Amino acid sequence: MGKLRTVEIIIRGDIIERNIILKLAERLRESGLRADFSSSIAVPPVLKAVERRYPSLAVLYATVDLEDLFSFKALVEELCSQEECTILSFKEL
């Protein structure tokens, strides 16, 4: 890997129900981009969240090669668009 950048991505939506993290990992593996991420997911009380359709939040910390940064961002945006999630923040740390 060349020059690495760390980015923080905050996503809001049905993270658990739609397997957003798993789908992102699969797409990242298929894409061949030089990137990896860790995630933390905050879910409101699950029974009420499912019943009332409360969204959850996922905070991703990704390490991305500088050359792949824009492609990685496009990959995340495309997935979120398809899965009806919202990217609240995408910033380089």
Side-chain angles (χ1 to χ4, degrees):
M1 291 183 98
K3 294 183 179 184
L4 296 178
R5 295 292 186 251
T6 301
V7 293
E8 177 188 71
I9 308 155
I10 302 175
I11 301 172
R12 182 176 184 222
D14 293 328
I15 307 296
I16 303 294
E17 291 178 5
R18 294 179 181 257
N19 278 326
I20 301 300
I21 303 302
L22 179 61
K23 290 177 182 178
L24 179 58
E26 289 173 347
R27 288 188 184 191
L28 186 59
R29 187 174 347 142
E30 293 169 359
S31 72
L33 296 175
R34 294 165 292 188
D36 201 359
F37 67 91
S38 61
S39 64
S40 296
I41 302 171
V43 180
V46 176
L47 295 179
K48 285 187 179 183
V50 171
E51 178 183 309
R52 296 185 181 168
R53 306 290 299 162
Y54 292 152
S56 52
L57 290 175
V59 179
L60 309 175
Y61 290 99
T63 304
V64 184
D65 191 287
L66 182 60
E67 294 176 3
D68 293 331
L69 185 59
F70 294 110
S71 298
F72 177 75
K73 183 176 181 181
L75 185 134
V76 173
E77 288 173 343
E78 179 186 354
L79 176 66
C80 287
S81 174
Q82 290 174 352
E83 297 296 330
E84 299 175 3
C85 291
T86 304
I87 297 175
L88 298 178
S89 172
F90 191 105
K91 65 181 178 181
E92 189 174 333
L93 302 177

Coordinates of all heavy atoms in Angstrom, one line a residue:
M1 N 0.8 -1.2 0.0 CA 0.0 0.0 0.0 C 0.9 1.2 0.0 O 1.9 1.3 0.6 CB -0.9 0.0 1.2 CG -2.0 -1.1 1.2 SD -3.1 -1.0 2.6 CE -4.4 -0.1 1.8
G2 N 0.4 2.3 -0.7 CA 1.1 3.5 -0.8 C 0.8 4.4 0.4 O 0.9 4.0 1.6
K3 N 0.5 5.6 0.2 CA 0.1 6.5 1.3 C -1.3 6.2 1.8 O -2.2 6.2 1.0 CB 0.2 8.0 0.8 CG 1.6 8.4 0.4 CD 1.6 9.9 0.0 CE 3.0 10.3 -0.3 NZ 3.0 11.7 -0.6
L4 N -1.4 6.0 3.1 CA -2.7 5.6 3.6 C -3.4 6.8 4.2 O -2.7 7.7 4.8 CB -2.5 4.6 4.8 CG -1.9 3.2 4.3 CD1 -1.7 2.3 5.6 CD2 -2.8 2.6 3.3
R5 N -4.7 6.8 4.1 CA -5.5 7.8 4.7 C -6.6 7.1 5.5 O -7.0 6.1 5.2 CB -6.2 8.7 3.6 CG -5.3 9.5 2.8 CD -4.7 10.6 3.6 NE -3.9 11.5 2.8 CZ -2.6 11.5 2.8 NH1 -1.9 10.7 3.6 NH2 -1.9 12.4 2.0
T6 N -6.9 7.8 6.6 CA -8.0 7.2 7.5 C -9.2 8.2 7.4 O -9.0 9.4 7.4 CB -7.5 7.2 9.0 OG1 -6.3 6.4 9.1 CG2 -8.6 6.6 9.9
V7 N -10.3 7.5 7.1 CA -11.5 8.3 7.0 C -12.6 7.8 8.0 O -12.6 6.6 8.3 CB -12.1 8.3 5.5 CG1 -11.2 9.0 4.6 CG2 -12.4 6.8 5.1
E8 N -13.4 8.7 8.4 CA -14.5 8.3 9.3 C -15.8 8.5 8.5 O -16.0 9.6 7.9 CB -14.5 9.3 10.5 CG -15.7 9.0 11.5 CD -15.8 10.0 12.5 OE1 -16.1 11.2 12.2 OE2 -15.5 9.7 13.7
I9 N -16.6 7.5 8.5 CA -17.9 7.6 7.8 C -19.0 7.2 8.8 O -19.0 6.2 9.5 CB -17.9 6.5 6.7 CG1 -16.7 6.7 5.8 CG2 -19.2 6.6 5.8 CD1 -16.3 5.4 5.1
I10 N -20.0 8.1 8.8 CA -21.2 7.9 9.7 C -22.4 7.6 8.8 O -22.7 8.5 8.0 CB -21.4 9.0 10.7 CG1 -20.2 9.2 11.5 CG2 -22.7 8.8 11.5 CD1 -20.2 10.4 12.4
I11 N -23.0 6.5 8.9 CA -24.2 6.1 8.1 C -25.4 5.9 9.0 O -25.3 5.3 10.1 CB -23.8 4.8 7.4 CG1 -22.6 5.0 6.5 CG2 -25.1 4.3 6.5 CD1 -22.1 3.7 5.8
R12 N -26.5 6.4 8.6 CA -27.8 6.2 9.3 C -28.8 5.5 8.4 O -28.9 5.8 7.3 CB -28.3 7.6 9.6 CG -29.6 7.6 10.4 CD -30.0 9.0 10.8 NE -31.2 8.9 11.6 CZ -32.2 9.7 11.5 NH1 -32.2 10.7 10.6 NH2 -33.2 9.6 12.3
G13 N -29.4 4.5 9.0 CA -30.4 3.7 8.3 C -30.7 2.4 8.9 O -30.3 2.2 10.1
D14 N -31.2 1.4 8.2 CA -31.5 0.1 8.7 C -30.2 -0.8 8.6 O -30.1 -1.7 7.8 CB -32.6 -0.6 8.0 CG -34.0 0.1 8.2 OD1 -34.1 0.6 9.4 OD2 -34.8 0.2 7.3
I15 N -29.2 -0.5 9.4 CA -27.9 -1.1 9.3 C -28.0 -2.6 9.5 O -27.4 -3.4 8.7 CB -26.9 -0.4 10.3 CG1 -26.9 1.1 10.1 CG2 -25.5 -1.1 10.1 CD1 -26.4 1.6 8.8
I16 N -28.6 -3.0 10.6 CA -28.7 -4.4 10.9 C -29.6 -5.2 10.0 O -29.3 -6.2 9.5 CB -29.2 -4.6 12.4 CG1 -28.3 -3.8 13.4 CG2 -29.3 -6.0 12.8 CD1 -26.9 -4.4 13.5
E17 N -30.8 -4.7 9.8 CA -31.8 -5.4 9.0 C -31.4 -5.6 7.5 O -31.7 -6.6 6.9 CB -33.1 -4.6 9.0 CG -33.9 -4.7 10.3 CD -35.2 -3.9 10.3 OE1 -35.6 -3.4 9.2 OE2 -35.8 -3.8 11.3
R18 N -30.6 -4.6 7.0 CA -30.2 -4.7 5.6 C -28.8 -5.2 5.4 O -28.3 -5.2 4.3 CB -30.3 -3.4 4.9 CG -31.8 -2.9 4.8 CD -31.8 -1.5 4.2 NE -33.2 -1.0 4.1 CZ -33.9 -1.0 2.9 NH1 -33.3 -1.5 1.8 NH2 -35.1 -0.5 2.9
N19 N -28.1 -5.6 6.5 CA -26.7 -6.1 6.5 C -25.8 -5.2 5.7 O -25.0 -5.6 4.9 CB -26.7 -7.5 5.8 CG -27.1 -8.6 6.8 OD1 -26.8 -8.5 7.9 ND2 -27.7 -9.6 6.3
I20 N -25.9 -3.9 6.0 CA -25.1 -2.9 5.3 C -23.6 -3.2 5.5 O -22.8 -3.1 4.5 CB -25.4 -1.5 5.8 CG1 -26.9 -1.2 5.7 CG2 -24.5 -0.5 5.2 CD1 -27.4 -1.2 4.2
I21 N -23.1 -3.5 6.7 CA -21.7 -3.8 6.9 C -21.2 -4.9 6.1 O -20.1 -4.9 5.4 CB -21.4 -3.9 8.4 CG1 -21.9 -2.7 9.2 CG2 -19.9 -4.2 8.6 CD1 -21.3 -1.4 8.8
L22 N -21.9 -6.0 6.1 CA -21.5 -7.2 5.3 C -21.5 -6.9 3.8 O -20.6 -7.3 3.1 CB -22.5 -8.4 5.6 CG -22.2 -9.7 4.8 CD1 -20.8 -10.2 5.2 CD2 -23.3 -10.7 5.2
K23 N -22.5 -6.2 3.3 CA -22.6 -5.9 1.9 C -21.4 -5.0 1.5 O -20.8 -5.1 0.4 CB -23.9 -5.2 1.6 CG -25.1 -6.1 1.6 CD -26.4 -5.4 1.3 CE -27.6 -6.4 1.5 NZ -28.9 -5.7 1.2
L24 N -21.1 -4.0 2.4 CA -19.9 -3.2 2.1 C -18.7 -4.0 2.0 O -17.8 -3.8 1.1 CB -19.8 -2.0 3.1 CG -18.7 -1.1 2.9 CD1 -18.7 -0.4 1.5 CD2 -18.7 0.0 4.0
A25 N -18.5 -4.9 2.9 CA -17.3 -5.7 3.0 C -17.2 -6.6 1.7 O -16.1 -6.7 1.1 CB -17.3 -6.6 4.2
E26 N -18.3 -7.1 1.3 CA -18.3 -8.0 0.1 C -18.0 -7.1 -1.2 O -17.2 -7.6 -2.0 CB -19.7 -8.7 -0.1 CG -19.9 -9.7 0.9 CD -21.3 -10.3 0.8 OE1 -22.2 -9.7 0.2 OE2 -21.5 -11.4 1.5
R27 N -18.5 -6.0 -1.3 CA -18.2 -5.1 -2.4 C -16.8 -4.6 -2.4 O -16.2 -4.5 -3.5 CB -19.2 -3.9 -2.5 CG -20.6 -4.3 -2.9 CD -21.4 -3.1 -3.1 NE -22.8 -3.5 -3.4 CZ -23.7 -2.7 -3.8 NH1 -23.4 -1.4 -4.0 NH2 -24.9 -3.1 -4.0
L28 N -16.3 -4.3 -1.2 CA -14.9 -3.9 -1.1 C -14.0 -5.0 -1.6 O -13.0 -4.8 -2.3 CB -14.6 -3.5 0.3 CG -13.3 -2.9 0.6 CD1 -13.0 -1.6 -0.3 CD2 -13.1 -2.5 2.1
R29 N -14.3 -6.3 -1.1 CA -13.4 -7.4 -1.5 C -13.5 -7.6 -3.0 O -12.5 -7.9 -3.7 CB -13.9 -8.7 -0.8 CG -13.0 -9.9 -1.0 CD -13.4 -11.1 -0.3 NE -14.4 -10.8 0.8 CZ -15.4 -11.6 1.1 NH1 -15.5 -12.8 0.5 NH2 -16.2 -11.3 2.1
E30 N -14.7 -7.5 -3.6 CA -14.8 -7.7 -5.1 C -14.2 -6.6 -5.9 O -13.7 -6.8 -7.0 CB -16.3 -7.8 -5.4 CG -17.0 -9.0 -4.9 CD -18.5 -8.9 -5.0 OE1 -19.0 -7.9 -5.5 OE2 -19.2 -9.9 -4.6
S31 N -14.1 -5.4 -5.3 CA -13.6 -4.2 -6.1 C -12.1 -4.2 -6.2 O -11.6 -3.7 -7.2 CB -14.0 -2.9 -5.4 OG -13.3 -2.8 -4.2
G32 N -11.4 -4.9 -5.3 CA -9.9 -4.9 -5.4 C -9.3 -3.6 -4.9 O -8.1 -3.4 -5.0
L33 N -10.1 -2.7 -4.3 CA -9.5 -1.5 -3.7 C -8.6 -1.8 -2.6 O -8.9 -2.8 -1.8 CB -10.6 -0.5 -3.3 CG -11.6 0.0 -4.4 CD1 -12.7 0.8 -3.8 CD2 -10.8 0.9 -5.4
R34 N -7.6 -1.0 -2.4 CA -6.7 -1.2 -1.2 C -7.3 -0.4 0.0 O -6.9 0.8 0.2 CB -5.3 -0.7 -1.6 CG -4.7 -1.6 -2.7 CD -3.5 -1.0 -3.3 NE -4.0 0.2 -4.0 CZ -3.2 0.9 -4.8 NH1 -2.0 0.7 -4.9 NH2 -3.7 2.0 -5.4
A35 N -8.2 -1.1 0.7 CA -8.9 -0.4 1.8 C -9.4 -1.5 2.7 O -9.6 -2.6 2.4 CB -10.0 0.4 1.3
D36 N -9.6 -1.1 4.0 CA -10.2 -1.9 5.0 C -10.9 -1.0 6.0 O -10.5 0.1 6.1 CB -9.1 -2.8 5.6 CG -9.8 -4.1 6.3 OD1 -11.0 -4.2 6.3 OD2 -9.0 -4.9 6.9
F37 N -11.8 -1.6 6.8 CA -12.5 -0.7 7.7 C -12.9 -1.5 9.0 O -13.0 -2.7 9.0 CB -13.7 -0.1 7.1 CG -14.8 -1.1 6.8 CD1 -15.8 -1.3 7.7 CD2 -14.8 -1.7 5.5 CE1 -16.8 -2.2 7.3 CE2 -15.9 -2.5 5.2 CZ -16.9 -2.8 6.1
S38 N -13.1 -0.8 10.0 CA -13.7 -1.3 11.3 C -15.0 -0.6 11.5 O -15.2 0.5 11.0 CB -12.8 -1.2 12.4 OG -12.5 0.1 12.7
S39 N -15.9 -1.1 12.3 CA -17.2 -0.5 12.4 C -17.7 -0.6 13.9 O -17.4 -1.6 14.6 CB -18.2 -1.0 11.5 OG -18.5 -2.4 11.7
S40 N -18.5 0.3 14.2 CA -19.3 0.3 15.5 C -20.7 0.7 15.1 O -20.9 1.6 14.3 CB -18.7 1.3 16.5 OG -17.4 1.0 16.9
I41 N -21.6 -0.1 15.7 CA -23.0 0.2 15.3 C -23.8 0.5 16.6 O -23.7 -0.2 17.6 CB -23.7 -1.1 14.6 CG1 -22.9 -1.4 13.4 CG2 -25.1 -0.8 14.3 CD1 -23.3 -2.7 12.7
A42 N -24.5 1.6 16.5 CA -25.4 2.0 17.7 C -26.8 1.7 17.2 O -27.3 2.3 16.3 CB -25.2 3.5 18.0
V43 N -27.5 0.9 18.0 CA -28.9 0.5 17.7 C -29.8 0.9 18.8 O -29.5 0.7 20.0 CB -29.0 -1.0 17.5 CG1 -30.4 -1.4 17.2 CG2 -28.1 -1.5 16.4
P44 N -30.9 1.6 18.5 CA -31.8 2.0 19.6 C -32.4 0.7 20.2 O -32.2 -0.4 19.6 CB -32.9 2.8 18.9 CG -32.6 2.8 17.5 CD -31.3 2.1 17.2
P45 N -33.1 0.7 21.3 CA -33.7 -0.5 21.8 C -34.4 -1.3 20.7 O -35.2 -0.8 20.0 CB -34.7 0.0 22.8 CG -34.2 1.3 23.3 CD -33.5 1.9 22.1
V46 N -33.9 -2.5 20.5 CA -34.2 -3.3 19.2 C -35.7 -3.5 19.0 O -36.1 -3.3 17.9 CB -33.4 -4.6 19.3 CG1 -33.8 -5.5 18.0 CG2 -31.9 -4.4 19.3
L47 N -36.4 -3.9 20.0 CA -37.8 -4.2 19.8 C -38.6 -2.9 19.3 O -39.4 -3.0 18.4 CB -38.5 -4.8 21.0 CG -37.9 -6.2 21.4 CD1 -38.6 -6.7 22.7 CD2 -38.1 -7.2 20.3
K48 N -38.3 -1.8 20.0 CA -39.0 -0.6 19.6 C -38.5 -0.1 18.2 O -39.2 0.5 17.4 CB -38.7 0.5 20.6 CG -39.6 0.4 21.9 CD -39.4 1.5 22.8 CE -40.3 1.3 24.0 NZ -40.3 2.5 24.9
A49 N -37.2 -0.3 18.0 CA -36.6 0.2 16.7 C -37.2 -0.6 15.6 O -37.6 0.1 14.5 CB -35.1 -0.1 16.7
V50 N -37.4 -1.8 15.7 CA -38.1 -2.6 14.6 C -39.5 -2.2 14.5 O -40.0 -2.0 13.4 CB -37.9 -4.1 14.9 CG1 -38.7 -4.9 13.9 CG2 -36.4 -4.5 14.8
E51 N -40.2 -2.1 15.6 CA -41.6 -1.8 15.6 C -41.9 -0.4 15.0 O -42.8 -0.2 14.2 CB -42.2 -1.9 17.0 CG -43.6 -1.5 17.2 CD -44.0 -1.6 18.6 OE1 -43.7 -2.6 19.3 OE2 -44.6 -0.6 19.1
R52 N -41.1 0.6 15.4 CA -41.3 1.9 15.0 C -40.4 2.4 13.8 O -40.4 3.6 13.5 CB -41.2 2.9 16.2 CG -42.2 2.6 17.2 CD -42.2 3.5 18.3 NE -43.2 3.2 19.3 CZ -43.2 3.8 20.5 NH1 -42.3 4.6 20.9 NH2 -44.1 3.4 21.4
R53 N -39.6 1.5 13.3 CA -38.7 1.8 12.2 C -37.7 2.9 12.5 O -37.4 3.8 11.8 CB -39.5 2.2 11.0 CG -40.5 1.2 10.5 CD -40.0 -0.1 10.0 NE -39.2 0.1 8.8 CZ -38.3 -0.7 8.3 NH1 -38.2 -1.9 8.9 NH2 -37.6 -0.5 7.3
Y54 N -37.1 2.8 13.8 CA -36.1 3.8 14.1 C -34.8 3.4 13.4 O -34.4 2.2 13.4 CB -35.8 3.7 15.6 CG -36.9 4.3 16.5 CD1 -37.1 3.8 17.8 CD2 -37.8 5.3 16.0 CE1 -38.1 4.4 18.6 CE2 -38.8 5.8 16.8 CZ -38.9 5.3 18.1 OH -39.9 5.8 18.9
P55 N -34.1 4.3 12.9 CA -32.8 4.0 12.2 C -31.7 3.8 13.2 O -31.8 4.2 14.3 CB -32.5 5.2 11.3 CG -33.2 6.3 12.0 CD -34.4 5.7 12.7
S56 N -30.7 3.0 12.8 CA -29.5 2.9 13.6 C -28.3 3.7 13.0 O -28.5 4.1 11.9 CB -29.1 1.4 13.8 OG -29.1 0.8 12.6
L57 N -27.2 3.8 13.7 CA -26.1 4.5 13.2 C -24.9 3.5 13.1 O -24.7 2.7 14.0 CB -25.7 5.6 14.1 CG -26.6 6.8 14.1 CD1 -26.1 7.8 15.2 CD2 -26.6 7.5 12.8
A58 N -24.1 3.7 12.1 CA -22.8 2.9 12.0 C -21.7 3.9 11.8 O -21.8 4.9 11.0 CB -22.9 2.0 10.8
V59 N -20.7 3.8 12.6 CA -19.5 4.6 12.4 C -18.4 3.7 11.9 O -18.0 2.7 12.5 CB -19.1 5.2 13.8 CG1 -17.8 6.1 13.6 CG2 -20.2 6.1 14.4
L60 N -17.9 4.0 10.7 CA -16.8 3.2 10.1 C -15.5 4.0 10.1 O -15.5 5.2 9.8 CB -17.2 2.9 8.6 CG -18.5 2.3 8.4 CD1 -18.7 2.2 6.9 CD2 -18.7 1.0 9.0
Y61 N -14.5 3.3 10.5 CA -13.1 3.9 10.3 C -12.4 3.1 9.3 O -12.1 1.9 9.5 CB -12.4 3.9 11.7 CG -13.0 4.9 12.7 CD1 -13.9 4.4 13.6 CD2 -12.7 6.2 12.6 CE1 -14.4 5.3 14.5 CE2 -13.2 7.1 13.5 CZ -14.1 6.7 14.4 OH -14.7 7.6 15.3
A62 N -12.1 3.7 8.2 CA -11.5 3.0 7.1 C -10.1 3.5 6.8 O -9.8 4.7 7.0 CB -12.3 3.2 5.8
T63 N -9.2 2.6 6.5 CA -7.9 2.9 6.1 C -7.8 2.6 4.6 O -8.1 1.5 4.1 CB -6.8 2.0 6.8 OG1 -7.0 2.2 8.2 CG2 -5.4 2.4 6.5
V64 N -7.6 3.7 3.8 CA -7.7 3.6 2.4 C -6.4 4.2 1.7 O -5.8 5.2 2.2 CB -8.9 4.5 1.9 CG1 -9.1 4.3 0.4 CG2 -10.1 4.1 2.6
D65 N -5.9 3.5 0.7 CA -4.8 4.0 0.0 C -5.2 5.3 -0.7 O -6.3 5.4 -1.2 CB -4.4 3.0 -1.1 CG -3.0 3.3 -1.7 OD1 -3.0 4.3 -2.6 OD2 -2.0 2.6 -1.4
L66 N -4.4 6.3 -0.7 CA -4.7 7.6 -1.3 C -5.2 7.5 -2.7 O -6.2 8.2 -3.1 CB -3.5 8.5 -1.2 CG -3.7 9.9 -1.7 CD1 -4.8 10.6 -0.9 CD2 -2.4 10.7 -1.6
E67 N -4.6 6.6 -3.5 CA -5.0 6.5 -4.9 C -6.5 5.9 -5.0 O -7.1 6.1 -6.1 CB -4.1 5.6 -5.6 CG -2.7 6.1 -5.8 CD -1.7 5.2 -6.4 OE1 -2.1 4.1 -6.9 OE2 -0.5 5.5 -6.5
D68 N -7.0 5.2 -4.0 CA -8.3 4.6 -4.1 C -9.3 5.3 -3.3 O -10.5 4.9 -3.2 CB -8.2 3.1 -3.5 CG -7.4 2.2 -4.4 OD1 -7.4 2.5 -5.6 OD2 -6.8 1.3 -3.9
L69 N -9.0 6.5 -2.7 CA -9.9 7.2 -1.8 C -11.2 7.6 -2.5 O -12.3 7.3 -2.0 CB -9.2 8.4 -1.2 CG -10.0 9.2 -0.2 CD1 -10.3 8.3 1.0 CD2 -9.2 10.4 0.2
F70 N -11.1 8.2 -3.7 CA -12.3 8.6 -4.4 C -13.2 7.4 -4.8 O -14.4 7.4 -4.8 CB -12.0 9.5 -5.6 CG -11.4 10.8 -5.1 CD1 -10.1 11.1 -5.3 CD2 -12.2 11.7 -4.4 CE1 -9.5 12.3 -4.9 CE2 -11.7 12.9 -4.0 CZ -10.3 13.2 -4.2
S71 N -12.5 6.3 -5.3 CA -13.3 5.1 -5.6 C -14.0 4.5 -4.4 O -15.1 4.0 -4.5 CB -12.3 4.1 -6.3 OG -11.7 4.6 -7.4
F72 N -13.3 4.5 -3.3 CA -13.9 4.0 -2.1 C -15.1 4.8 -1.7 O -16.1 4.2 -1.3 CB -12.8 4.0 -0.9 CG -13.4 3.5 0.4 CD1 -13.7 2.1 0.6 CD2 -13.7 4.4 1.4 CE1 -14.2 1.7 1.8 CE2 -14.2 3.9 2.6 CZ -14.4 2.6 2.8
K73 N -15.0 6.1 -1.7 CA -16.1 7.0 -1.4 C -17.3 6.7 -2.3 O -18.4 6.6 -1.9 CB -15.7 8.4 -1.5 CG -16.8 9.4 -1.0 CD -16.3 10.8 -1.0 CE -17.5 11.7 -0.6 NZ -17.1 13.1 -0.6
A74 N -17.0 6.5 -3.6 CA -18.1 6.3 -4.6 C -18.7 4.9 -4.3 O -20.0 4.8 -4.4 CB -17.5 6.3 -6.0
L75 N -18.0 3.9 -3.9 CA -18.5 2.6 -3.6 C -19.4 2.7 -2.4 O -20.5 2.2 -2.4 CB -17.3 1.7 -3.2 CG -17.7 0.2 -3.0 CD1 -16.7 -0.7 -3.8 CD2 -17.6 -0.1 -1.5
V76 N -19.0 3.5 -1.3 CA -19.9 3.6 -0.1 C -21.2 4.4 -0.5 O -22.3 4.0 -0.1 CB -19.1 4.4 1.0 CG1 -20.0 4.7 2.1 CG2 -18.0 3.5 1.5
E77 N -21.0 5.5 -1.3 CA -22.2 6.3 -1.7 C -23.2 5.4 -2.5 O -24.4 5.5 -2.3 CB -21.8 7.5 -2.5 CG -21.1 8.5 -1.6 CD -20.5 9.7 -2.4 OE1 -20.3 9.5 -3.6 OE2 -20.2 10.7 -1.8
E78 N -22.7 4.6 -3.4 CA -23.5 3.8 -4.2 C -24.3 2.8 -3.4 O -25.5 2.6 -3.6 CB -22.7 3.0 -5.3 CG -23.5 2.1 -6.2 CD -22.6 1.3 -7.1 OE1 -21.4 1.5 -7.2 OE2 -23.2 0.4 -7.8
L79 N -23.6 2.1 -2.5 CA -24.3 1.1 -1.6 C -25.4 1.8 -0.8 O -26.5 1.3 -0.6 CB -23.3 0.5 -0.7 CG -23.9 -0.5 0.3 CD1 -24.5 -1.7 -0.4 CD2 -22.8 -1.0 1.3
C80 N -25.0 3.0 -0.2 CA -26.0 3.7 0.7 C -27.2 4.1 -0.1 O -28.3 4.1 0.3 CB -25.3 4.9 1.4 SG -24.2 4.3 2.7
S81 N -27.0 4.5 -1.4 CA -28.1 5.0 -2.2 C -29.0 3.8 -2.5 O -30.2 3.9 -2.4 CB -27.5 5.5 -3.5 OG -28.6 5.8 -4.4
Q82 N -28.4 2.6 -2.8 CA -29.2 1.4 -3.1 C -30.0 0.9 -1.9 O -31.1 0.4 -2.1 CB -28.3 0.3 -3.7 CG -27.8 0.6 -5.1 CD -26.8 -0.4 -5.5 OE1 -26.4 -1.3 -4.7 NE2 -26.4 -0.3 -6.8
E83 N -29.4 1.0 -0.8 CA -30.0 0.5 0.5 C -30.8 1.5 1.2 O -31.2 1.3 2.4 CB -28.9 -0.1 1.4 CG -28.1 -1.3 0.7 CD -29.1 -2.5 0.5 OE1 -30.0 -2.7 1.2 OE2 -28.8 -3.2 -0.5
E84 N -31.0 2.7 0.7 CA -31.8 3.8 1.3 C -31.2 4.2 2.7 O -32.0 4.4 3.6 CB -33.2 3.4 1.4 CG -33.8 3.1 0.0 CD -35.3 2.6 0.1 OE1 -35.8 2.5 1.2 OE2 -35.8 2.3 -1.0
C85 N -29.9 4.3 2.7 CA -29.2 4.8 3.9 C -28.7 6.2 3.6 O -28.6 6.6 2.5 CB -28.1 3.9 4.3 SG -28.6 2.3 4.9
T86 N -28.4 6.9 4.7 CA -27.9 8.3 4.6 C -26.5 8.4 5.1 O -26.2 7.9 6.2 CB -28.8 9.2 5.4 OG1 -30.2 9.1 4.9 CG2 -28.4 10.7 5.2
I87 N -25.6 9.0 4.3 CA -24.3 9.2 4.8 C -24.3 10.6 5.5 O -24.5 11.6 4.9 CB -23.2 9.2 3.7 CG1 -23.2 7.9 3.0 CG2 -21.9 9.6 4.2 CD1 -22.3 7.8 1.8
L88 N -24.2 10.6 6.8 CA -24.2 11.8 7.6 C -22.9 12.5 7.6 O -22.8 13.7 7.6 CB -24.6 11.5 9.0 CG -26.0 10.9 9.3 CD1 -26.2 10.6 10.7 CD2 -27.0 11.8 8.7
S89 N -21.8 11.7 7.4 CA -20.5 12.4 7.5 C -19.5 11.4 6.7 O -19.5 10.2 6.9 CB -20.0 12.6 8.9 OG -18.7 13.0 9.0
F90 N -18.6 12.1 6.0 CA -17.5 11.3 5.3 C -16.3 12.3 5.4 O -16.2 13.2 4.6 CB -17.8 11.0 3.9 CG -16.8 10.0 3.3 CD1 -17.2 8.7 3.0 CD2 -15.6 10.4 2.9 CE1 -16.3 7.8 2.5 CE2 -14.7 9.5 2.3 CZ -15.0 8.2 2.1
K91 N -15.4 12.1 6.4 CA -14.3 13.0 6.5 C -13.0 12.3 6.7 O -12.9 11.2 7.3 CB -14.6 14.0 7.6 CG -14.7 13.4 9.0 CD -14.9 14.5 10.0 CE -15.0 13.9 11.4 NZ -15.3 14.9 12.4
E92 N -12.0 12.9 6.2 CA -10.6 12.4 6.3 C -10.1 12.9 7.7 O -10.2 14.0 8.1 CB -9.8 12.9 5.2 CG -8.4 12.3 5.1 CD -7.6 12.7 3.9 OE1 -8.2 13.1 2.9 OE2 -6.4 12.7 4.0
L93 N -9.5 11.9 8.4 CA -8.9 12.3 9.7 C -7.4 12.6 9.6 O -6.8 12.3 8.7 CB -9.1 11.1 10.7 CG -10.6 10.7 10.9 CD1 -10.6 9.5 11.9 CD2 -11.4 11.9 11.5

